[in-house]
Amino acid sequence: MRLFSCTNCGQLLYFENSHCEQCGLSLGFISEELTLLPIVQEGDDTYRLHGRDEKTLYRYCKNHEYNVCNWLVPNNKQIDYCTACSLNRTIPNLSKQEYRQRWNVIENGKHRLVYQLLRMQLPLASKAVNAEEGLLFDFMADDETGGENKILTGHDNGVITLNISEADDVEREMTRKGMAEVYRTVLGHFRHEVGHYYWDRLIDNTPFLDECRELFGDDNLDYQEALKVHYKDGPPIGWNTHFISAYASTHPWEDWAETWAHYLHIVDTMETAYSFGLSVHPHVAPTAAHLNTDIKVDPYNQPSFDNIITQWLPLTFAFNSVNRSMGLHDLYPFVIPVAVIDKLKFIHKVCTNAKNSITES
Ligand SMILES: [Zn+2]
Ligand SMILES: [Zn+2]
Ligand SMILES: [Zn+2]
């Protein structure tokens, strides 16, 4: 994530801020520029950008009134929702206070996801605009009337469903423990599920399919059967030399989605480190090249994934140590084997290609 600053007073801002803590001006995010800016009220619900000559007026996205969105829409467009919120089809039942809090957590994660997809310049549209190839989100709760209806988090033909219990810390942590996972977050779910979506968009029926099968395996493998085997027998012995997680070993599609999620984790975290100008130079190992780094390049403009991964390793070792100092779980509780680096490089190539083909068309 980029680091934003108030152009009125210089205060550093979080992506989720709706007003500047220092000068008090309202803030709005402009998805066209991927930037958070102070805004000045013009009419009842219209604003202009602070410090800019342009006359364009903006409104907040309709979801601003629920405190779950700080993105703006141009006032001359006949739309209620911003780029991120226009992807919602089902939202939680807001008559329940607890569900409002969950929705807030969910939207924080989803807005960060959408920021990154826009930053990567990947094809992105709501199914309302492109029924065939678009994307939609359903945020749903299990049937609470005692019925059997359990909501499964997953992706199906451009529709990402999230069980809103994932936005409750206690429920999510219990699931994480039950599934013996080292990491489980709402943002992580979104990154994984959108990986399935982009497999359909960027791999299926494209020249990349053969190379993808060489790296991730043959996706013609019976998916339901593969899941059954995984839940009955567990991952194969030695899975960690080929896969980023045990779950990735279930089926080539899951391997792709898991590795894709890690690609997004790495690139977004590297952008944050780059925004802060972070460097890692451990005093006890001043000459070890693999432990020292200065993060001076924007990961979104890197032709080669090698430059990203060589900086990622010292950075995560430092971050994990910082988290342990606070008694927290490791920031990045994974070891990336060589085979997974090759898969990440492939994803980097596919994404770079998608970006270039959009820019050229
Ligand atoms: Zn300010
Ligand atoms: Zn919105
Ligand atoms: Zn999956």
Side-chain angles (χ1 to χ4, degrees):
M1 176 64 65
R2 274 178 187 158
L3 178 61
F4 307 101
S5 70
C6 176
T7 52
N8 182 43
C9 74
Q11 170 88 347
L12 294 185
L13 309 167
Y14 286 110
F15 177 60
E16 288 82 8
N17 287 161
S18 280
H19 67 271
C20 175
E21 296 287 347
Q22 189 162 274
C23 72
L25 282 185
S26 296
L27 300 168
F29 185 82
I30 306 172
S31 58
E32 293 79 7
E33 297 179 24
L34 293 178
T35 192
L36 185 64
L37 287 171
I39 52 179
V40 182
Q41 194 150 12
E42 279 282 312
D44 277 353
D45 59 355
T46 55
Y47 298 82
R48 63 178 170 79
L49 306 180
H50 172 269
R52 295 257 185 113
D53 282 339
E54 58 185 276
K55 300 275 180 282
T56 317
L57 291 179
Y58 292 86
R59 275 172 287 124
Y60 272 117
C61 167
K62 200 167 185 321
N63 280 342
H64 182 67
E65 63 185 272
Y66 301 102
N67 247 335
V68 296
C69 181
N70 61 352
W71 291 26
L72 300 173
V73 293
N75 192 43
N76 59 8
K77 281 200 185 170
Q78 301 295 319
I79 48 172
D80 287 335
Y81 295 101
C82 71
T83 313
C85 294
S86 64
L87 300 172
N88 291 356
R89 182 170 69 179
T90 313
I91 62 162
N93 177 357
L94 299 183
S95 64
K96 294 192 171 195
Q97 186 56 36
E98 192 191 341
Y99 284 10
R100 282 183 178 237
Q101 285 159 6
R102 290 186 188 184
W103 190 33
N104 192 290
V105 172
I106 290 166
E107 289 298 342
N108 278 352
K110 198 200 69 195
H111 280 72
R112 282 181 177 260
L113 173 80
V114 173
Y115 163 86
Q116 187 170 25
L117 301 177
L118 294 172
R119 187 83 169 85
M120 293 167 81
Q121 298 175 44
L122 292 176
L124 180 66
S126 163
K127 267 195 188 297
V129 178
N130 185 342
E132 193 73 3
E133 296 186 336
L135 183 65
L136 275 181
F137 289 89
D138 284 337
F139 307 133
M140 300 166 80
D142 289 336
D143 185 354
E144 287 157 4
T145 57
E148 294 288 294
N149 190 17
K150 293 264 180 246
I151 299 300
L152 288 178
T153 294
H155 164 264
D156 184 17
N157 192 29
V159 177
I160 290 176
T161 304
L162 182 81
N163 188 319
I164 63 167
S165 67
E166 294 289 342
D168 180 276
D169 288 345
V170 176
E171 294 208 34
R172 189 183 59 255
E173 182 63 11
M174 277 164 56
T175 312
R176 185 188 72 76
K177 225 178 141 194
M179 309 271 277
E181 294 171 346
V182 291
Y183 172 91
R184 193 177 183 95
T185 65
V186 170
L187 181 54
H189 278 303
F190 284 140
R191 286 178 171 159
H192 173 103
E193 300 307 340
V194 92
H196 290 303
Y197 170 71
Y198 282 110
W199 194 91
D200 290 351
R201 293 279 78 75
L202 306 177
I203 301 294
D204 200 16
N205 298 315
T206 75
F208 285 122
L209 185 56
D210 287 340
E211 193 181 348
C212 188
R213 284 179 172 156
E214 273 170 39
L215 285 163
F216 293 87
D218 187 355
D219 48 276
N220 289 309
L221 186 72
D222 187 322
Y223 181 75
Q224 293 306 333
E225 189 56 33
L227 282 187
K228 258 190 231 162
V229 170
H230 176 77
Y231 288 120
K232 186 170 146 278
D233 302 337
I237 293 164
W239 63 266
N240 53 358
T241 56
H242 293 96
F243 301 100
I244 192 64
S245 66
Y247 187 65
S249 70
T250 50
H251 186 278
W253 283 338
E254 294 309 333
D255 189 16
W256 163 269
E258 283 287 271
T259 313
W260 170 278
H262 277 259
Y263 178 78
L264 265 52
H265 290 329
I266 291 168
V267 172
D268 184 71
T269 306
M270 287 293 293
E271 190 190 30
T272 306
Y274 166 65
S275 304
F276 278 87
L278 293 189
S279 291
V280 177
H281 295 291
H283 297 305
V284 293
T287 57
H290 66 290
L291 294 175
N292 283 264
T293 191
D294 298 295
I295 307 202
K296 288 189 172 155
V297 282
D298 177 353
Y300 289 100
N301 290 326
Q302 279 299 300
S304 160
F305 187 72
D306 289 330
N307 295 338
I308 297 175
I309 199 73
T310 51
Q311 299 192 319
W312 179 245
L313 301 174
L315 184 73
T316 49
F317 191 57
F319 277 153
N320 287 351
S321 304
V322 169
N323 274 24
R324 289 181 188 206
S325 298
M326 277 298 293
L328 293 169
H329 290 300
D330 282 355
L331 178 91
Y332 189 72
F334 300 92
V335 176
I336 308 179
V338 175
V340 171
I341 293 182
D342 289 340
K343 295 175 192 178
L344 289 165
K345 279 183 188 169
F346 173 69
I347 293 172
H348 186 72
K349 182 168 75 176
V350 170
C351 291
T352 306
N353 179 272
K355 175 164 91 174
N356 292 341
S357 54
I358 283 191
T359 320
E360 282 158 17
S361 61

